Amino acid sequence: MSWRALGSIDTFVLSYLFTGSAKSAGAIAGTEVFTKIVLFYFHERAWSLVRWGHRVDEPAARDQSDEGAAPV
């Protein structure tokens, strides 16, 4: 949350420097909070479809050693 707050403050300050209006800067920073949440959601959904670095589940290897087998 602190990172998100810092990002919004940064957006407000930059918007104020560019527009010279605190009202416009507040509107931009306020809107940015919601747009970043939506963008983050879709960004994570897209990355969840990428399989780079994911391990493929392989069938468990069959134990051939008879260790742990019930006595006959």
Side-chain angles (χ1 to χ4, degrees):
M1 290 202 32
S2 63
W3 177 250
R4 190 66 244 133
L6 182 62
S8 295
I9 291 168
D10 176 58
T11 299
F12 177 85
V13 170
L14 289 173
S15 299
Y16 181 74
L17 291 174
F18 285 119
T19 65
S21 166
K23 185 175 181 179
S24 293
I28 293 168
T31 303
E32 179 254 5
V33 169
F34 296 106
T35 59
K36 291 287 172 59
I37 290 170
V38 172
L39 288 171
F40 180 76
Y41 173 78
F42 287 111
H43 172 267
E44 291 301 310
R45 294 285 301 219
W47 270 112
S48 72
L49 300 175
V50 174
R51 295 292 167 211
W52 303 333
H54 288 233
R55 290 186 178 166
V56 178
D57 291 333
E58 296 179 15
R62 192 167 180 204
D63 186 7
Q64 305 272 332
S65 66
D66 287 334
E67 291 179 15
V72 183

